Amino acid sequence: MRIELYLVDAMEVASFGPVCLALRSRGVAARIGAGPDDAHAGDPGWFDHANAVRLLRAADLPFVETPDWESGLAVTTQRPWVLRHYRCRKARTMYAVGFYAMDGFQADRIRGFDAIFAVGEHARRALAQHLDPSRVFVTGYPKYDDFFRRPPDAAAIRTRRAAVRAPIRRG
């Protein structure tokens, strides 16, 4: 099954990159869809295609500029209508979560998906108000997983910062 992670904004490269690479490392045919304006399903003029392609290439991520509407699964971070051209199962993943009634928890951003990947239990409960709870999966926050697995060494950062701030001695 091919999974296409559909970009609506260049900033989503940071969210989809780790997911795409993890899927591919497990043998899944995953790639990122980055269609230019005339092939983009989002709001006209919103998608910064050139910047997205630059980021994708810099990260050496597999991507296509012509979406495969017949993929096995299409994933977005946005509303269901963004995936309207896909003729397959549709899912949404979150790139943000708040402890308030954020727009990502509204019915029109939930209904229409076959599944939603939630960042935690709070999000799962909120999403399950508008989607069968068996279709909401807690996946964590892939964009930040590496940071929490290997947090930076605070002492090393302070040392490096002090070295940068140290006055330059001449002579």
Side-chain angles (χ1 to χ4, degrees), residues 1-6 41 68-93 109-117 131 135-137:
M1 167 177 34
R2 183 188 331 276
I3 296 177
E4 202 154 280
L5 305 162
Y6 190 78
D68 177 5
W69 307 126
E70 302 294 332
S71 292
L73 174 67
V75 183
T76 185
T77 62
Q78 301 300 311
R79 293 185 169 139
W81 66 264
V82 169
L83 301 178
R84 67 190 175 278
H85 299 301
Y86 284 94
R87 293 177 286 280
C88 60
R89 294 196 180 273
K90 299 170 179 89
R92 187 181 111 208
T93 190
R109 291 207 177 213
I110 298 169
R111 293 187 182 129
F113 285 110
D114 296 295
I116 296 184
F117 306 116
L131 187 67
R135 294 168 44 196
V136 180
F137 303 91

Side-chain angles (χ1 to χ4, degrees), residues 33-109:
D37 280 342
D38 60 342
H40 196 264
D43 292 328
W46 178 264
F47 184 50
D48 185 352
H49 178 261
N51 189 37
V53 167
R54 181 184 61 77
L55 292 168
L56 290 162
R57 286 186 176 138
D60 198 25
L61 291 167
F63 72 96
V64 293
E65 295 181 80
T66 303
D68 177 5
W69 307 126
E70 302 294 332
S71 292
L73 174 67
V75 183
T76 185
T77 62
Q78 301 300 311
R79 293 185 169 139
W81 66 264
V82 169
L83 301 178
R84 67 190 175 278
H85 299 301
Y86 284 94
R87 293 177 286 280
C88 60
R89 294 196 180 273
K90 299 170 179 89
R92 187 181 111 208
T93 190
M94 303 177 71
Y95 66 79
V97 68
F99 290 102
Y100 53 91
M102 59 182 273
D103 62 351
F105 294 154
Q106 295 172 357
D108 72 329
R109 291 207 177 213

